[in-house]
Amino acid sequence: MALHKDKAFVATLDRLLAVNTTTGSLTATTTPTADALSVLSRDDRNHSAPPAVIPGADPLVLAPFFVRRPGVGTQAATNFIELTATNASSDKVDWRLPLTLPSWTKDGSPRTVSVVGASKKVVIVTVSTGASSLFSAATTYGIDLTARRVLWTKDRFEATTVTGNIVVGELETSDGTYESARGYDLLTGTERWRGEDGLNLDVKPAGPHLLLVQAQNKDDYRVHIQ
């Protein structure tokens, strides 16, 4: 859930709900144009990541959905992410952007998608297998909110926070053995800094311009915190 003035925006697998926090009434429902891959059943828990409110002259509520476009003729059906940008005041959709799913998603692994943060008109979206999967993978997208296009993508990188002009998260080595904390330029996706390789890495925001990095040393397995 994300709050903006007197509204609460709630994302589920197949829709974005706008709720008046004073009356509790549902004011708007936004759904993707393509068919959602999953639908939240009545008794299911909602594990969808919260939407993100992007401030500005006309604040936007960004919510990504896993969707499927049916095949036509000889063209096969296609799964992709539909990023929806809704005007926070009017509850009307301003624009939608399709994002190509990374190749590792084709094995049917559990997936989560979230808007990590935004700065300087660039928003960061990350898709990953989720903590419940034995197979671990992630891909991060840097998206230009003005041009409404993907600026860069980075496989094996799971973004956790945006601070200033840097996106920070966890990068898995190409052989999947170790992970390290990394910082990348928001506009170009180029590396700005890197941490040491370790095991069971966890990178979390710890306040403005601060991070909490916890991992096991790859040589002696002792836990170290930065």
Side-chain angles (χ1 to χ4, degrees):
M1 182 178 67
L3 297 174
H4 177 71
K5 295 184 177 180
D6 62 346
K7 293 179 184 178
F9 293 94
V10 181
T12 70
L13 295 171
D14 65 335
R15 65 195 61 205
L16 175 69
L17 307 175
V19 179
N20 185 300
T21 57
T22 302
T23 64
S25 60
L26 180 66
T27 61
T29 300
T30 300
T31 56
T33 55
D35 297 330
L37 289 181
S38 301
V39 177
L40 188 67
S41 300
R42 182 181 181 87
D43 297 325
D44 288 344
R45 294 187 63 183
N46 182 24
H47 295 290
S48 299
V53 177
I54 309 302
D58 290 309
L60 295 174
V61 183
L62 300 183
F65 301 98
F66 288 118
V67 295
R68 183 178 182 85
R69 181 182 294 117
V72 178
T74 58
Q75 186 176 6
T78 306
N79 295 347
F80 61 101
I81 297 169
E82 184 173 303
L83 179 63
T84 302
T86 301
N87 187 292
S89 300
S90 67
D91 295 335
K92 295 182 179 179
V93 176
D94 274 11
W95 49 267
R96 303 173 190 267
L97 180 67
L99 302 177
T100 302
L101 283 168
S103 58
W104 56 260
T105 63
K106 295 178 181 179
D107 66 358
S109 301
R111 299 188 298 272
T112 62
V113 61
S114 61
V115 178
V116 176
S119 180
K120 301 182 185 299
K121 299 299 182 182
V122 176
V123 65
I124 299 298
V125 174
T126 289
V127 57
S128 67
T129 53
S132 61
S133 176
L134 294 177
F135 166 72
S136 176
T139 297
T140 293
Y141 308 75
I143 300 167
D144 188 322
L145 289 174
T146 302
R148 301 170 190 174
R149 65 183 182 90
V150 176
L151 296 171
W152 53 268
T153 62
K154 193 164 296 294
D155 286 327
R156 305 195 312 277
F157 176 63
E158 185 170 2
T160 57
T161 188
V162 172
T163 175
N165 62 348
I166 302 262
V167 52
V168 178
E170 305 167 12
L171 182 74
E172 185 179 61
T173 57
S174 57
D175 61 3
T177 305
Y178 304 114
E179 299 171 297
S180 62
R182 300 290 177 103
Y184 295 99
D185 186 273
L186 206 61
L187 290 172
T188 64
T190 55
E191 185 178 285
R192 298 289 294 274
W193 59 265
R194 67 170 65 188
E196 296 180 2
D197 289 348
L199 299 167
N200 299 318
L201 178 69
D202 188 22
V203 180
K204 296 179 180 179
H209 310 295
L210 292 174
L211 296 170
L212 175 63
V213 179
Q214 180 173 309
Q216 286 180 290
N217 187 287
K218 65 180 182 180
D219 296 320
D220 56 21
Y221 301 102
R222 289 185 300 177
V223 174
H224 59 90
I225 299 175
Q226 301 175 357

